[in-house]
Amino acid sequence: MVLSDDMKTPQGIVEGTAPTFSNSWKANYMCPDREERLEDPCSLSVENEWYAKHWCALLLSPDSSFAQCRSVVDPELYYKRCTYASCNCEKSEDCLCAVFSSYARACASKGVFLEDWREKVCDKYSRNCPASQIFSYQHQRCQLTCRSLGSVQQNCISDFLPVDGCSCPDGLYLNENGICIPKAKCPCYHNEVYIKSGKSISIKDEHCVCNNGMLHCHSWRARSSTCPSPKQFFNCSAAGSGDLGLHCAPTCLNLDSDDCDSTECESGCRCPAGLLDDGKDSCVQRNQCTCKHDGHIYAPGSEIPEQCNTCTCKSGS
């Protein structure tokens, strides 16, 4: 699907292919139209064809590192992709290695982990890792950056497949400069600013210290003594993963909303579990919820005229 005007003709029509689009912009209509190229890209260069078929044949060879996977993942389709991509690419080796890596990942999903397949070709990727990083055929860890340590929304999943490539050694994390460092030296990230490990900042009414890539915060104010009963003080520094405190807390005024795009925890006074803030700083049961209409808050049971209707506030609706 074309989602922009990149393929739009002078008449304002979006074309579906590159040749028909280019034909619509001809400056000289005596020029013949460009036609679709449907031929095999390997037929355009004997040298590219030899390179592609020579190296892609490793996928089918019984003596290559890929052989142990043939019984669980058929390499024939990958071989066809490999030859086509290698002949069609400006940088043949990059595309060749991308298909090999794709096949290795498909094998890993079936429980067959391939190693040493980069020894004959694609070895420049395994020999040229950035400083402080190492190459592995089975990187099984995720959340390997300092910035990921403080992320509320974790990206790791239980069935994370091993991948080949460069990464930090065990126990080290990639910082904002691309260097692998211990977790204890990881900076924290807040509002697009990095805070050095051990440094403190003030966020709203809280004092926060950066430790192991995470901000640990506590309120400057006294804890529960400042909260009117029955509200209780919630402290983000003692919060579990995913608990955002005052952010996205259920109230009588957001009963019908499941949307919450906040990722930052906020400490403060909130209603105990099972009770909802009624918008007037009190905590009530759901059936005692107030309603908000036209900027005004109405008590449960109140009748509100709305054009030809009379509406009654009941359980927040």
Side-chain angles (χ1 to χ4, degrees):
M1 179 184 292
V2 178
L3 299 179
S4 68
D5 62 354
D6 288 349
M7 298 281 279
K8 188 174 289 186
T9 70
Q11 291 75 35
I13 300 170
V14 176
E15 289 287 357
T17 65
T20 55
F21 165 70
S22 61
N23 291 335
S24 72
W25 285 94
K26 284 191 303 183
N28 185 346
Y29 282 90
M30 297 300 293
C31 294
D33 282 350
R34 296 292 296 177
E35 297 181 357
E36 292 277 9
R37 283 178 52 180
L38 302 175
E39 67 267 24
D40 180 358
C42 291
S43 67
L44 304 177
S45 169
V46 174
E47 183 181 350
N48 285 354
E49 181 181 20
W50 180 89
Y51 177 90
K53 291 187 175 180
H54 174 77
W55 290 113
C56 293
L58 289 174
L59 289 166
L60 306 177
S61 171
D63 300 321
S64 73
S65 300
F66 299 110
Q68 59 180 306
C69 184
R70 293 186 64 182
S71 60
V72 293
V73 179
D74 187 357
E76 186 63 36
L77 178 60
Y78 289 88
Y79 172 76
K80 292 179 180 179
R81 289 178 182 171
C82 182
T83 54
Y84 184 92
S86 299
C87 287
N88 206 36
C89 261
E90 181 180 357
K91 297 181 179 179
S92 297
E93 185 180 350
D94 290 353
C95 293
L96 172 87
C97 296
V99 177
F100 282 0
S101 183
S102 178
Y103 183 71
R105 185 167 173 81
C107 294
S109 69
K110 301 294 184 180
V112 179
F113 303 107
L114 301 178
E115 296 198 0
D116 302 327
W117 57 266
R118 288 186 180 270
E119 300 303 316
K120 292 184 178 180
V121 67
C122 310
D123 63 332
K124 71 177 183 181
Y125 301 96
S126 57
R127 291 186 289 102
N128 297 318
C129 286
S132 78
Q133 297 186 37
I134 60 172
F135 180 85
S136 172
Y137 286 96
Q138 291 193 45
H139 281 301
Q140 292 182 290
R141 301 188 303 142
C142 53
Q143 301 295 123
L144 297 181
T145 65
C146 287
R147 188 166 175 177
S148 70
L149 293 172
S151 174
V152 174
Q153 297 175 340
Q154 298 295 313
N155 297 321
C156 290
I157 52 177
S158 58
D159 57 348
F160 182 77
L161 282 178
V163 293
D164 62 280
C166 301
S167 185
C168 292
D170 286 349
L172 299 183
Y173 296 80
L174 201 67
N175 69 5
E176 70 277 15
N177 298 316
I179 306 299
C180 299
I181 59 176
K183 183 189 289 188
K185 293 185 178 180
C186 273
C188 300
Y189 187 79
H190 177 74
N191 281 352
E192 301 183 3
V193 175
Y194 285 99
I195 300 102
K196 290 184 178 180
S197 178
K199 297 295 183 180
S200 61
I201 61 170
S202 294
I203 302 176
K204 296 182 179 179
D205 61 338
E206 294 189 321
H207 176 69
C208 302
V209 179
C210 178
N211 185 26
N212 289 334
M214 297 181 63
L215 285 171
H216 299 269
C217 304
H218 65 270
S219 176
W220 291 105
R221 303 177 302 174
R223 297 295 195 266
S224 58
S225 60
T226 60
C227 295
S229 181
K231 287 192 174 182
Q232 301 170 344
F233 186 83
F234 178 87
N235 192 344
C236 285
S237 62
S241 176
D243 199 332
L244 300 176
L246 298 190
H247 281 308
C248 310
T251 70
C252 288
L253 307 182
N254 67 6
L255 288 174
D256 299 324
S257 175
D258 294 326
D259 296 331
C260 179
D261 58 2
S262 178
T263 59
E264 179 184 334
C265 185
E266 181 180 352
S267 300
C269 300
R270 70 177 188 182
C271 292
L275 298 180
L276 303 169
D277 193 311
D278 66 353
K280 296 182 176 180
D281 239 7
S282 297
C283 299
V284 297
Q285 299 284 346
R286 181 178 180 126
N287 60 4
Q288 298 175 323
C289 263
T290 55
C291 302
K292 189 173 184 179
H293 174 68
D294 199 22
H296 300 284
I297 294 178
Y298 295 89
S302 299
E303 292 188 347
I304 307 151
E306 174 62 20
Q307 296 182 0
C308 297
N309 299 310
T310 298
C311 303
T312 303
C313 176
K314 185 177 181 181
S315 298
S317 301

